[in-house]
Amino acid sequence: MLSINEPGSETASFFQRIGGETHIRELVDAFYDVMDEDPQTDTVRRMHPDDLSGSRTKLYEFLVGWMGGPPLYMNKYGHPRLRMRHLPFEIDEAARDQWMHCMVIAMQRVGLDETLRRDLEKSLYAVADFMRNTQ
Ligand code: HEM
């Protein structure tokens, strides 16, 4: 019998749709490359450390679990308490939109198909909007 997230069921997880850990790592690397290169996302870039390697690893580990793969982040750090962890940063609509911009370009760069891009964008937007802690 198929359980809900196994291949062939109607509701494949993002983890399955994207093709597992390697593709999530590529997406995260592309995401931070955009943040590093694109002057439009300067505000969000300046919130991050100069060396993005720790940020890359943490977002990768988080997204693997969030997408329905192994809970790499939880196993290391416990419950993400993501909103609380973002409180030190002033996240307004512009910062949220810069973060989403990096993600949208990254999804295009790694060549995710259009349906997956649209679905992921919608779900990640909800998380990004929840991180907002100021107008
Ligand atoms: C809305 C705009 C967002 C901004 C401006 C933002 C900014 C940041 C910053 C500055 C850090 C610290 C980086 C570091 O210490 O290396 C961080 C950490 C993190 N962010 Fe975001 N973020 C946003 C949205 C999101 C979203 C939507 C997710 C998940 C889908 C996310 C997941 C994470 C994770 C997992 C960490 C690591 C937390 C830790 O263990 O320290 N962020 N974020």
Side-chain angles (χ1 to χ4, degrees):
M1 201 176 81
L2 283 173
S3 84
I4 194 160
N5 278 329
E6 278 171 2
S9 88
E10 300 233 337
T11 51
S13 65
F14 282 133
F15 186 75
Q16 289 166 336
R17 292 172 67 190
I18 202 168
E21 275 107 333
T22 314
H23 291 104
I24 299 172
R25 185 67 215 204
E26 278 172 18
L27 176 65
V28 168
D29 280 335
F31 170 85
Y32 278 115
D33 289 348
V34 177
M35 195 186 283
D36 220 12
E37 290 159 11
D38 191 337
Q40 279 182 65
T41 62
D42 209 40
T43 309
V44 168
R45 176 64 186 91
R46 278 188 277 106
M47 294 179 191
H48 286 76
D50 287 349
D51 177 359
L52 288 171
S53 50
S55 315
R56 287 175 191 266
T57 303
K58 283 181 168 175
L59 185 59
Y60 159 73
E61 290 167 339
F62 175 81
L63 285 179
V64 168
W66 180 83
M67 289 192 188
L72 304 180
Y73 184 95
M74 285 265 254
N75 289 347
K76 254 186 167 166
Y77 306 105
H79 191 282
R81 296 183 300 159
L82 219 49
R83 192 166 193 284
M84 196 272 298
R85 286 192 208 258
H86 284 79
L87 287 179
F89 313 109
E90 207 170 295
I91 304 183
D92 58 9
E93 287 180 357
R96 173 201 64 199
D97 292 346
Q98 287 186 19
W99 195 98
M100 284 306 302
H101 173 79
C102 298
M103 191 50 81
V104 165
I105 303 294
M107 290 193 291
Q108 285 167 4
R109 275 199 192 172
V110 301
L112 301 193
D113 77 63
E114 207 184 316
T115 317
L116 179 54
R117 286 198 329 248
R118 195 194 55 216
D119 293 350
L120 260 179
E121 181 178 351
K122 206 170 137 204
S123 294
L124 282 170
Y125 181 87
V127 184
D129 193 50
F130 181 62
M131 293 307 144
R132 229 164 14 94
N133 47 38
T134 178
Q135 284 306 102

